[in-house]
Amino acid sequence: YMKPINYYVEQEWRNTTNAIVKYKPSFYNEKGVYTKKEWISRYDIGLKFDNQIFTIQEYMIMEQKYVDAVLNIMELENCKYMTIAHIGDSLSSSKNSLKEMLVGQFSEYDKNLCDFFISIHEGQRLGVEQVDKLVRLNLRELTYTDLSNESRHLEFHFGYDYYMYCNTRLSKDALKLEVEQLGLYLNPMDK
């Protein structure tokens, strides 16, 4: 028997989060709308942006920046593990993800994550290597799994359009510096 999750309690992280994005602040207009046409998902591989075909190699470079951001923030927080706080997938979405991992256009890259994906469960502690894999699964939209370390007050959540949300004790300035060194940004619309 699983206890029902109180949606409002489960969503409290949104009140204090910092959105980490790949989107350059200079392309937001005064209303907070991002104005540059740019890829937002791995499903955009093969499409044209700025008259260039978006490639898997370009995708993998950006994905690595996000993985590095999580691992670097963990290190700054002296955090040795993260716990799976919530798995937001339904059984049908998990089945679709498994199918995608095995036969989709990205299957060459996803297959090595498949056994790990099958093994995850809420409450599971993940070391650095496993956190790396779970971040990739989230960014590839194969799962929507939240990570937390309560003792370090550190959380990561993942959303659509390549948004990653981080709650941390690090100052906003320190977090901004860390992600910008990787070529990422804090969402300038977050105040």
Side-chain angles (χ1 to χ4, degrees):
Y1 172 73
M2 288 182 57
K3 63 182 179 184
I5 295 172
N6 179 323
Y7 177 80
Y8 297 102
V9 170
E10 201 276 321
Q11 296 296 310
E12 284 179 356
W13 62 270
R14 292 183 184 276
N15 298 329
T16 57
T17 198
N18 296 285
I20 298 171
V21 297
K22 66 183 192 69
Y23 308 107
K24 293 181 181 171
S26 59
F27 290 110
Y28 286 86
N29 68 20
E30 64 281 348
K31 294 181 180 172
V33 175
Y34 194 75
T35 58
K36 184 178 181 192
K37 186 173 177 355
E38 190 169 315
W39 67 271
I40 59 172
S41 165
R42 75 179 190 155
Y43 297 104
D44 290 337
I45 292 169
L47 300 179
K48 267 191 177 180
F49 299 93
D50 288 336
N51 293 317
Q52 301 275 64
I53 300 289
F54 176 50
T55 66
I56 286 178
Q57 292 75 20
E58 289 172 290
Y59 171 86
M60 296 300 282
I61 289 168
M62 185 57 69
E63 181 182 86
Q64 187 63 49
K65 290 178 182 185
Y66 278 74
V67 170
D68 290 345
V70 170
L71 299 181
N72 290 358
I73 292 165
M74 284 178 66
E75 187 174 329
L76 287 171
E77 288 280 18
N78 196 24
C79 181
K80 305 285 186 237
Y81 69 90
M82 297 297 291
T83 300
I84 295 177
H86 177 71
I87 299 176
D89 304 347
S90 67
L91 183 58
S92 64
S93 67
S94 292
K95 286 180 179 179
N96 287 335
S97 292
L98 286 169
K99 181 180 175 190
E100 179 77 21
M101 291 170 87
L102 296 173
V103 298
Q105 72 163 353
F106 224 67
S107 62
E108 174 186 340
Y109 299 93
D110 289 341
K111 281 182 182 171
N112 67 347
L113 299 175
C114 193
D115 288 341
F116 174 72
F117 178 72
I118 292 168
S119 75
I120 64 173
H121 57 85
E122 287 185 10
Q124 181 178 359
R125 274 190 176 192
L126 305 177
V128 171
E129 184 179 312
Q130 293 170 310
V131 167
D132 177 306
K133 291 177 181 179
L134 193 64
V135 170
R136 292 178 196 283
L137 286 167
N138 274 297
L139 293 171
R140 294 178 192 180
E141 300 177 54
L142 295 167
T143 187
Y144 288 96
T145 298
D146 301 332
L147 293 168
S148 75
N149 184 310
E150 288 184 18
S151 67
R152 297 289 178 205
H153 304 285
L154 181 61
E155 296 177 278
F156 292 98
H157 303 265
F158 299 84
Y160 296 108
D161 298 345
Y162 234 71
Y163 274 66
M164 181 172 73
Y165 303 94
C166 177
N167 283 335
T168 178
R169 292 182 295 192
L170 296 175
S171 71
K172 197 167 197 113
D173 288 340
L175 184 61
K176 182 178 182 195
L177 179 64
E178 187 60 41
V179 300
E180 285 182 353
Q181 289 175 353
L182 295 167
L184 299 173
Y185 309 93
L186 293 185
N187 184 355
M189 297 301 104
D190 293 344
K191 299 300 176 209

PDB file of all heavy atoms in Angstrom, residues 16-30:
ATOM      1  N   THR A  16      11.528  27.730  -3.709  1.00  0.00           N
ATOM      2  CA  THR A  16      12.908  28.163  -3.427  1.00  0.00           C
ATOM      3  C   THR A  16      13.909  27.688  -4.474  1.00  0.00           C
ATOM      4  O   THR A  16      15.112  27.836  -4.280  1.00  0.00           O
ATOM      5  CB  THR A  16      13.354  27.623  -2.057  1.00  0.00           C
ATOM      6  OG1 THR A  16      13.222  26.195  -2.063  1.00  0.00           O
ATOM      7  CG2 THR A  16      12.535  28.213  -0.922  1.00  0.00           C
ATOM      8  N   THR A  17      13.440  27.176  -5.572  1.00  0.00           N
ATOM      9  CA  THR A  17      14.342  26.545  -6.531  1.00  0.00           C
ATOM     10  C   THR A  17      15.057  27.540  -7.434  1.00  0.00           C
ATOM     11  O   THR A  17      14.615  28.673  -7.609  1.00  0.00           O
ATOM     12  CB  THR A  17      13.564  25.522  -7.387  1.00  0.00           C
ATOM     13  OG1 THR A  17      14.491  24.651  -8.005  1.00  0.00           O
ATOM     14  CG2 THR A  17      12.710  26.206  -8.434  1.00  0.00           C
ATOM     15  N   ASN A  18      16.167  27.085  -7.971  1.00  0.00           N
ATOM     16  CA  ASN A  18      16.909  27.807  -8.997  1.00  0.00           C
ATOM     17  C   ASN A  18      16.855  26.966 -10.263  1.00  0.00           C
ATOM     18  O   ASN A  18      17.265  25.801 -10.241  1.00  0.00           O
ATOM     19  CB  ASN A  18      18.372  27.978  -8.595  1.00  0.00           C
ATOM     20  CG  ASN A  18      18.520  28.835  -7.373  1.00  0.00           C
ATOM     21  OD1 ASN A  18      18.373  30.040  -7.432  1.00  0.00           O
ATOM     22  ND2 ASN A  18      18.798  28.212  -6.232  1.00  0.00           N
ATOM     23  N   ALA A  19      16.368  27.534 -11.350  1.00  0.00           N
ATOM     24  CA  ALA A  19      16.315  26.808 -12.614  1.00  0.00           C
ATOM     25  C   ALA A  19      17.650  26.949 -13.323  1.00  0.00           C
ATOM     26  O   ALA A  19      18.128  28.063 -13.558  1.00  0.00           O
ATOM     27  CB  ALA A  19      15.192  27.333 -13.499  1.00  0.00           C
ATOM     28  N   ILE A  20      18.262  25.818 -13.642  1.00  0.00           N
ATOM     29  CA  ILE A  20      19.514  25.785 -14.401  1.00  0.00           C
ATOM     30  C   ILE A  20      19.141  25.457 -15.835  1.00  0.00           C
ATOM     31  O   ILE A  20      18.440  24.477 -16.096  1.00  0.00           O
ATOM     32  CB  ILE A  20      20.482  24.742 -13.809  1.00  0.00           C
ATOM     33  CG1 ILE A  20      20.853  25.129 -12.367  1.00  0.00           C
ATOM     34  CG2 ILE A  20      21.730  24.615 -14.684  1.00  0.00           C
ATOM     35  CD1 ILE A  20      21.632  24.085 -11.612  1.00  0.00           C
ATOM     36  N   VAL A  21      19.600  26.306 -16.758  1.00  0.00           N
ATOM     37  CA  VAL A  21      19.187  26.181 -18.156  1.00  0.00           C
ATOM     38  C   VAL A  21      20.373  26.367 -19.091  1.00  0.00           C
ATOM     39  O   VAL A  21      21.407  26.898 -18.706  1.00  0.00           O
ATOM     40  CB  VAL A  21      18.078  27.205 -18.508  1.00  0.00           C
ATOM     41  CG1 VAL A  21      16.818  26.961 -17.695  1.00  0.00           C
ATOM     42  CG2 VAL A  21      18.562  28.640 -18.308  1.00  0.00           C
ATOM     43  N   LYS A  22      20.190  25.954 -20.323  1.00  0.00           N
ATOM     44  CA  LYS A  22      21.194  26.156 -21.359  1.00  0.00           C
ATOM     45  C   LYS A  22      20.924  27.439 -22.148  1.00  0.00           C
ATOM     46  O   LYS A  22      21.689  27.811 -23.022  1.00  0.00           O
ATOM     47  CB  LYS A  22      21.214  24.952 -22.313  1.00  0.00           C
ATOM     48  CG  LYS A  22      19.948  24.780 -23.127  1.00  0.00           C
ATOM     49  CD  LYS A  22      20.032  23.516 -23.980  1.00  0.00           C
ATOM     50  CE  LYS A  22      18.945  23.469 -25.008  1.00  0.00           C
ATOM     51  NZ  LYS A  22      19.076  24.461 -26.069  1.00  0.00           N
ATOM     52  N   TYR A  23      19.854  28.114 -21.816  1.00  0.00           N
ATOM     53  CA  TYR A  23      19.381  29.262 -22.583  1.00  0.00           C
ATOM     54  C   TYR A  23      20.060  30.554 -22.151  1.00  0.00           C
ATOM     55  O   TYR A  23      19.990  30.939 -20.983  1.00  0.00           O
ATOM     56  CB  TYR A  23      17.857  29.383 -22.443  1.00  0.00           C
ATOM     57  CG  TYR A  23      17.157  28.091 -22.770  1.00  0.00           C
ATOM     58  CD1 TYR A  23      16.589  27.309 -21.778  1.00  0.00           C
ATOM     59  CD2 TYR A  23      17.119  27.621 -24.080  1.00  0.00           C
ATOM     60  CE1 TYR A  23      15.969  26.103 -22.074  1.00  0.00           C
ATOM     61  CE2 TYR A  23      16.515  26.417 -24.384  1.00  0.00           C
ATOM     62  CZ  TYR A  23      15.942  25.668 -23.385  1.00  0.00           C
ATOM     63  OH  TYR A  23      15.343  24.468 -23.683  1.00  0.00           O
ATOM     64  N   LYS A  24      20.705  31.229 -23.098  1.00  0.00           N
ATOM     65  CA  LYS A  24      21.462  32.453 -22.806  1.00  0.00           C
ATOM     66  C   LYS A  24      20.525  33.588 -22.387  1.00  0.00           C
ATOM     67  O   LYS A  24      19.537  33.861 -23.067  1.00  0.00           O
ATOM     68  CB  LYS A  24      22.271  32.886 -24.028  1.00  0.00           C
ATOM     69  CG  LYS A  24      23.380  31.922 -24.363  1.00  0.00           C
ATOM     70  CD  LYS A  24      24.187  32.380 -25.555  1.00  0.00           C
ATOM     71  CE  LYS A  24      25.270  31.346 -25.841  1.00  0.00           C
ATOM     72  NZ  LYS A  24      25.955  31.581 -27.079  1.00  0.00           N
ATOM     73  N   PRO A  25      20.855  34.262 -21.295  1.00  0.00           N
ATOM     74  CA  PRO A  25      20.000  35.352 -20.804  1.00  0.00           C
ATOM     75  C   PRO A  25      19.759  36.452 -21.837  1.00  0.00           C
ATOM     76  O   PRO A  25      18.701  37.077 -21.833  1.00  0.00           O
ATOM     77  CB  PRO A  25      20.780  35.889 -19.600  1.00  0.00           C
ATOM     78  CG  PRO A  25      21.583  34.732 -19.131  1.00  0.00           C
ATOM     79  CD  PRO A  25      21.956  33.975 -20.382  1.00  0.00           C
ATOM     80  N   SER A  26      20.708  36.678 -22.732  1.00  0.00           N
ATOM     81  CA  SER A  26      20.571  37.762 -23.709  1.00  0.00           C
ATOM     82  C   SER A  26      19.431  37.525 -24.705  1.00  0.00           C
ATOM     83  O   SER A  26      19.015  38.459 -25.388  1.00  0.00           O
ATOM     84  CB  SER A  26      21.883  37.968 -24.465  1.00  0.00           C
ATOM     85  OG  SER A  26      22.260  36.771 -25.129  1.00  0.00           O
ATOM     86  N   PHE A  27      18.905  36.308 -24.781  1.00  0.00           N
ATOM     87  CA  PHE A  27      17.830  36.014 -25.730  1.00  0.00           C
ATOM     88  C   PHE A  27      16.437  36.061 -25.098  1.00  0.00           C
ATOM     89  O   PHE A  27      15.459  35.687 -25.736  1.00  0.00           O
ATOM     90  CB  PHE A  27      18.055  34.662 -26.417  1.00  0.00           C
ATOM     91  CG  PHE A  27      19.210  34.677 -27.379  1.00  0.00           C
ATOM     92  CD1 PHE A  27      20.378  33.991 -27.078  1.00  0.00           C
ATOM     93  CD2 PHE A  27      19.147  35.387 -28.568  1.00  0.00           C
ATOM     94  CE1 PHE A  27      21.453  34.005 -27.950  1.00  0.00           C
ATOM     95  CE2 PHE A  27      20.220  35.411 -29.453  1.00  0.00           C
ATOM     96  CZ  PHE A  27      21.379  34.715 -29.140  1.00  0.00           C
ATOM     97  N   TYR A  28      16.338  36.508 -23.839  1.00  0.00           N
ATOM     98  CA  TYR A  28      15.024  36.707 -23.221  1.00  0.00           C
ATOM     99  C   TYR A  28      14.589  38.146 -23.489  1.00  0.00           C
ATOM    100  O   TYR A  28      15.388  39.070 -23.367  1.00  0.00           O
ATOM    101  CB  TYR A  28      15.092  36.482 -21.711  1.00  0.00           C
ATOM    102  CG  TYR A  28      15.219  35.042 -21.306  1.00  0.00           C
ATOM    103  CD1 TYR A  28      16.476  34.429 -21.228  1.00  0.00           C
ATOM    104  CD2 TYR A  28      14.097  34.283 -20.980  1.00  0.00           C
ATOM    105  CE1 TYR A  28      16.599  33.105 -20.837  1.00  0.00           C
ATOM    106  CE2 TYR A  28      14.217  32.957 -20.598  1.00  0.00           C
ATOM    107  CZ  TYR A  28      15.472  32.376 -20.532  1.00  0.00           C
ATOM    108  OH  TYR A  28      15.599  31.068 -20.153  1.00  0.00           O
ATOM    109  N   ASN A  29      13.314  38.337 -23.829  1.00  0.00           N
ATOM    110  CA  ASN A  29      12.834  39.713 -23.994  1.00  0.00           C
ATOM    111  C   ASN A  29      12.348  40.246 -22.660  1.00  0.00           C
ATOM    112  O   ASN A  29      12.399  39.551 -21.640  1.00  0.00           O
ATOM    113  CB  ASN A  29      11.760  39.804 -25.095  1.00  0.00           C
ATOM    114  CG  ASN A  29      10.460  39.106 -24.733  1.00  0.00           C
ATOM    115  OD1 ASN A  29      10.159  38.851 -23.567  1.00  0.00           O
ATOM    116  ND2 ASN A  29       9.665  38.794 -25.747  1.00  0.00           N
ATOM    117  N   GLU A  30      11.872  41.499 -22.651  1.00  0.00           N
ATOM    118  CA  GLU A  30      11.466  42.153 -21.407  1.00  0.00           C
ATOM    119  C   GLU A  30      10.291  41.470 -20.722  1.00  0.00           C
ATOM    120  O   GLU A  30      10.065  41.640 -19.534  1.00  0.00           O
ATOM    121  CB  GLU A  30      11.153  43.647 -21.653  1.00  0.00           C
ATOM    122  CG  GLU A  30       9.983  43.904 -22.584  1.00  0.00           C
ATOM    123  CD  GLU A  30      10.308  43.746 -24.076  1.00  0.00           C
ATOM    124  OE1 GLU A  30      11.498  43.657 -24.437  1.00  0.00           O
ATOM    125  OE2 GLU A  30       9.358  43.686 -24.876  1.00  0.00           O
TER     126      GLU A  30
END
